[in-house]
Amino acid sequence: MEIRANKKIYKRKGIKKTIEAYNHLGKIDLSENKNYFIVSAKNIDKEIEEIFKDEFCNYLLFETSKCP
Amino acid sequence: MRTITLDTNIYSLRSILSTSFVFLDDYYIFLDQTDKEKITVQIKSKEKNGDLEKAVNEFKNELISTNLRLKISEENRKIRELIVSSALYGRPTEKTPFRDPEGISKTWEEKHRRFEKVNDPEGICKVWEEKHRGFEKVNDPEGISKTWQENQHRNPNIHKAVNKGCSMANKPEYTNMFKEQKDGDKSK
């Protein structure tokens, strides 16, 4: 599973905090290209796999809103 | 899932983020910027049969409200900081003198004192006594407006009749008459 977060909207600090919060649910890696942060999630439980991406994005938005 | 495209020339990123924050409890929101001046908002309901059309309309209304609130907040930022700083640190003291270059804190009299002499040649601002002090001597030759004590030096006999009893008191025959009466009383 891959989530691409735009660098102009989402903050690096917010992404790191979100990964810390969801790290216990699977193996989450962060990489980036010119315009996007790329979050790769592996070994996520199949029962929560559907909502994992949505909840991760919501939490990411929440953390980004907190950043100045 | 519904997608809204917003123009960043109209809505700032901050107002879009703040609006999205309001909807996080009931909806999944994901933002992306495909174009330089366009931001796409993907809205997905957490409930299976959620009303997305209503959510999109509410999102747009909330976005307008937030955008306006942030603009007003930015416009009033300086005065808000001034009020908070004066509330926290109190009024300016002698060490930090109060700056009032336009003299707003002064009274009208303090501010326009130097103009009185120039702009009031007829003495309209003066009280009646100040203005007519010179005419009193001319228009009141008999001293009607003056008190009895002030007029006495000018005409000492004017109240002679009233003071007849007092003048009689200076005569020794008049006073002896009373003395005799008192002596007579004692002999009795």
Side-chain angles (χ1 to χ4, degrees), chain B residues 18-157:
Chain B
S18 299
T19 307
S20 303
F21 188 81
V22 175
F23 286 78
L24 284 182
D25 282 345
D26 299 324
Y27 301 94
Y28 295 118
I29 309 244
F30 185 71
L31 305 178
D32 197 3
Q33 188 166 16
T34 51
D35 192 5
K36 191 179 180 181
E37 296 176 347
K38 304 282 182 189
I39 288 179
T40 56
V41 183
Q42 293 176 4
I43 302 175
K44 186 177 173 184
S45 179
K46 286 185 179 180
E47 295 175 3
K48 286 183 180 177
N49 298 321
D51 190 357
L52 272 178
E53 190 63 32
K54 188 184 173 186
V56 168
N57 291 332
E58 284 180 356
F59 187 93
K60 289 175 181 174
N61 276 357
E62 182 66 26
L63 183 61
I64 292 169
S65 174
T66 307
N67 202 43
L68 180 65
R69 196 173 64 246
L70 289 174
K71 275 185 181 175
I72 292 170
S73 174
E74 187 58 33
E75 284 172 6
N76 297 333
R77 188 173 58 85
K78 281 187 179 177
I79 194 166
R80 196 173 59 250
E81 286 173 358
L82 188 69
I83 290 167
V84 171
S85 62
S86 65
L88 288 173
Y89 303 113
R91 292 185 64 189
T93 59
E94 290 178 1
K95 290 177 183 175
T96 57
F98 183 66
R99 290 178 184 174
D100 186 18
E102 294 179 5
I104 293 167
S105 63
K106 290 181 179 177
T107 61
W108 191 92
E109 287 77 9
E110 285 175 335
K111 203 171 176 181
H112 298 279
R113 185 171 289 163
R114 63 197 174 105
F115 295 110
E116 277 178 20
K117 292 174 184 174
V118 180
N119 295 330
D120 188 22
E122 295 178 5
I124 294 167
C125 299
K126 290 181 179 177
V127 293
W128 192 89
E129 287 77 8
E130 280 181 48
K131 200 172 176 182
H132 298 278
R133 189 169 287 163
F135 295 102
E136 279 176 21
K137 292 173 185 175
V138 179
N139 295 331
D140 189 21
E142 295 178 3
I144 294 167
S145 63
K146 292 188 175 180
T147 61
W148 183 85
Q149 288 81 6
E150 284 174 337
N151 281 328
Q152 198 177 17
H153 72 278
R154 190 183 298 170
N155 191 1
N157 296 326

Side-chain angles (χ1 to χ4, degrees), chain A residues 5 7-8 10 18-19 22 25 29-30 33 35 37 40 43 46 50 53 57 60 67-68:
Chain A
K7 283 184 175 179
K8 290 178 181 173
Y10 297 100
T18 308
I19 290 172
Y22 283 81
L25 296 173
D29 293 320
L30 175 64
N33 62 22
N35 296 322
F37 297 110
S40 304
N43 301 329
K46 287 185 179 178
E50 285 185 15
K53 185 179 177 180
C57 290
L60 181 56
C67 293

